[in-house]
Amino acid sequence: VFLFYQSGIPEGNLILDEAESWHCVKVLRKKAGKTIHLTDGRGGLYEARITEAQPRACRFEILTRQFSARPPYSISLAVAPAKSGERNDWLAEKAVELGVDKLLYFVSHNSERVKLNKERVERICTSAMKQSLRPWLPSVGGLVSFAEILTAQADQRFIAHAGYPSSLFQVAEKSGSYLVLIGPEGDFTKDELSLAESNGFAPVSLGASRLRTETAALAAVQALVLKNL
Amino acid sequence: VFLFYQSGIPEGNLILDEAESWHCVKVLRKKAGKTIHLTDGRGGLYEARITEAQPRACRFEILTRQFSARPPYSISLAVAPAKSGERNDWLAEKAVELGVDKLLYFVSHNSERVKLNKERVERICTSAMKQSLRPWLPSVGGLVSFAEILTAQADQRFIAHAGYPSSLFQVAEKSGSYLVLIGPEGDFTKDELSLAESNGFAPVSLGASRLRTETAALAAVQALVLKNL
């Protein structure tokens, strides 16, 4: 099964955008009359028939539509980007596959990377959504300061650090919105940890061993998904 | 903290092997008299003092030793290697960070890769063990047939497939040895699924969405680790 992504289907947009059209018509060689599967990234899954197989603007008509309700929880991850661009790419891809809803980025005192290619992360998220057949497109935030990330809202907010005694899985409660802060390779500073705690973030660990940033992020997402099973 | 690995310390081997010696003496420029941290990969963590800083055979003496008991469970993953070598590398690294004890590999009907560089996987495991400060070196098995992997023993054996109704986290019981089979990109065939089931493997899913091989492997390890919290 290949899943295409097209925003705005509920509002009547029945043309694949340029990149998706090209993939559909040129790469997969789909002709008019063929059935394709689409998501609008907002819970809708569609079976559609190609009406005009234009390589830059492929038109389709909807055959069936199916909406999935949002799960009763949502997971936001806020991470200090890793120095390695490749590890950041992995983090985004895997977090989406496992079920993240929002990816936020911040600069920490020990950050070795203070730039973020937001469009690149968005492309990876779209691709991972399609690959994993999920009908929800996660949102991506631009890089902000540590002070600003502390103002992000959620029902349950956590800061992850290897030294804390209680694990996220044990502390988190079922349902609602979650936000988990994941530190940079050099870890959060003591000041950052206490600032987060005084701003209402619950201190949690993600297991017994020292985890890389991207591994910590995935461990956090999977812990929250399993908590809500 | 940097953790060195040297096998055989309990048996009196107090010389770092060539690669570790080089890293210690040439890369990190440690001199005689300096303190280093080591693991023997079998639960031992050591503080040691360099006695002879030879770049190919660095000698040390043990200052303190600390043994961690094995957790009351052990996790074996058996995976059909992904086509992409990079994804296989990543699977091994992350599985070790999250707590896998044994990595086994098999060829499935839909496998696109039928070769495995076992030494490469072992190097990645050693490096991930050191990076995550874990004192246990996972073992790595060579590539075997699907029929042979079905003979591997464990207290609880599972085969993962997106179509199954119950999730690993729900079905697994606490403690003991686990073995989870993870399929190739094209998934297990129906014959493989029924063969595994008739050989006593419990059918489980790893969540609602379609996961890549390496993501499924990590989701499985994390589910079993959290089950044993």
Side-chain angles (χ1 to χ4, degrees):
Chain A
V1 181
F2 189 90
L3 190 65
F4 290 93
Y5 164 60
Q6 184 54 55
S7 63
I9 298 177
E11 292 78 30
N13 182 8
L14 302 182
I15 305 176
L16 288 179
D17 73 14
E18 197 168 325
E20 291 289 72
S21 291
W22 192 264
H23 192 81
C24 180
V25 176
K26 286 292 183 181
V27 180
L28 299 178
R29 297 171 182 279
K30 301 271 187 198
K31 311 273 187 237
K34 281 282 175 193
T35 299
I36 56 174
H37 294 86
L38 295 124
T39 178
D40 55 22
R42 278 159 38 211
L45 284 167
Y46 307 84
E47 214 175 17
R49 185 189 292 126
I50 298 175
T51 52
E52 289 175 42
Q54 304 278 1
R56 289 196 160 76
C58 176
R59 284 182 179 272
F60 56 86
E61 60 183 6
I62 301 297
L63 301 176
T64 67
R65 63 185 78 211
Q66 183 194 327
F67 287 98
S68 29
R70 261 208 187 274
Y73 65 94
S74 78
I75 303 172
S76 299
L77 272 185
V79 301
K83 190 168 64 169
S84 148
E86 200 189 14
R87 290 184 184 275
N88 285 320
D89 292 353
W90 275 110
L91 189 160
E93 179 181 299
K94 299 308 168 206
V96 173
E97 281 186 70
L98 291 174
V100 84
D101 296 284
K102 200 183 279 189
L103 275 175
L104 304 171
Y105 293 91
F106 63 92
V107 178
S108 157
H109 181 80
N110 289 330
S111 285
E112 295 195 63
R113 174 182 283 261
V114 294
K115 279 194 296 188
L116 178 79
N117 186 336
K118 185 166 174 276
E119 288 66 36
R120 181 181 175 88
V121 177
E122 286 170 338
R123 278 199 304 276
I124 290 170
C125 287
T126 304
S127 163
M129 169 190 71
K130 292 163 58 180
Q131 208 279 332
S132 56
L133 307 181
R134 299 175 63 83
W136 299 102
L137 182 64
S139 65
V140 178
L143 200 60
V144 301
S145 69
F146 186 72
E148 193 174 336
I149 207 72
L150 294 183
T151 68
Q153 294 306 307
D155 300 334
Q156 299 178 60
R157 306 193 300 166
F158 303 97
I159 184 161
H161 170 62
Y164 288 132
S166 305
S167 84
L168 173 61
F169 185 76
Q170 290 165 322
V171 171
E173 286 172 27
K174 224 171 156 159
S175 300
S177 58
Y178 305 102
L179 169 62
V180 187
L181 305 191
I182 306 285
E185 275 134 354
D187 211 341
F188 290 114
T189 63
K190 280 189 181 156
D191 283 355
E192 287 173 333
L193 293 173
S194 62
L195 196 59
E197 288 193 54
S198 66
N199 276 268
F201 284 77
V204 293
S205 80
L206 294 168
S209 59
R210 178 170 71 176
L211 300 177
R212 288 180 184 272
T213 294
E214 72 278 10
T215 319
L218 307 186
V221 175
Q222 175 75 342
L224 294 173
V225 168
L226 293 179
K227 194 77 199 187
N228 283 279
L229 263 191
Chain B
V1 182
F2 188 91
L3 190 64
F4 290 92
Y5 164 59
Q6 185 54 55
S7 62
I9 298 177
E11 292 77 31
N13 181 6
L14 301 182
I15 305 176
L16 287 179
D17 73 14
E18 196 166 327
E20 291 289 72
S21 291
W22 192 263
H23 191 81
C24 180
V25 176
K26 285 293 181 180
V27 180
L28 300 178
R29 296 170 182 280
K30 302 272 187 198
K31 310 273 186 239
K34 281 281 174 194
T35 299
I36 57 175
H37 295 86
L38 295 126
T39 179
D40 55 22
R42 278 158 39 209
L45 283 167
Y46 307 84
E47 215 175 17
R49 185 190 291 125
I50 298 175
T51 52
E52 289 176 44
Q54 304 278 2
R56 289 196 159 77
C58 176
R59 284 181 179 273
F60 56 87
E61 61 184 4
I62 300 298
L63 301 176
T64 67
R65 63 185 77 211
Q66 183 194 328
F67 287 97
S68 26
R70 263 208 186 272
Y73 64 94
S74 77
I75 303 172
S76 299
L77 272 185
V79 301
K83 190 169 63 168
S84 148
E86 201 189 14
R87 290 185 185 273
N88 285 321
D89 290 355
W90 201 83
L91 187 160
E93 179 182 297
K94 299 309 168 205
V96 173
E97 280 186 71
L98 291 174
V100 83
D101 296 285
K102 200 182 281 188
L103 275 175
L104 303 171
Y105 293 91
F106 64 92
V107 177
S108 157
H109 181 79
N110 289 329
S111 285
E112 295 195 62
R113 174 183 282 261
V114 293
K115 279 193 297 189
L116 178 79
N117 186 336
K118 184 165 175 275
E119 288 67 37
R120 181 179 175 89
V121 177
E122 286 171 336
R123 279 198 304 275
I124 291 169
C125 288
T126 303
S127 163
M129 169 190 72
K130 292 163 59 179
Q131 207 280 331
S132 56
L133 308 179
R134 299 175 62 84
W136 300 102
L137 182 64
S139 64
V140 178
L143 200 60
V144 301
S145 68
F146 186 71
E148 192 173 336
I149 206 71
L150 294 183
T151 67
Q153 294 305 308
D155 300 334
Q156 299 178 59
R157 306 193 299 165
F158 304 97
I159 183 161
H161 170 63
Y164 288 133
S166 305
S167 85
L168 173 62
F169 185 75
Q170 289 165 323
V171 172
E173 285 171 27
K174 226 171 154 158
S175 300
S177 58
Y178 304 103
L179 169 63
V180 187
L181 305 191
I182 306 285
E185 274 133 354
D187 211 342
F188 290 113
T189 63
K190 280 188 181 157
D191 282 356
E192 287 173 333
L193 293 173
S194 62
L195 196 58
E197 287 194 53
S198 65
N199 275 269
F201 284 78
V204 292
S205 80
L206 294 168
S209 59
R210 178 171 71 177
L211 300 177
R212 288 179 184 273
T213 294
E214 71 278 9
T215 319
L218 307 184
V221 176
Q222 176 75 343
L224 294 173
V225 168
L226 293 180
K227 194 78 198 187
N228 283 279
L229 263 191

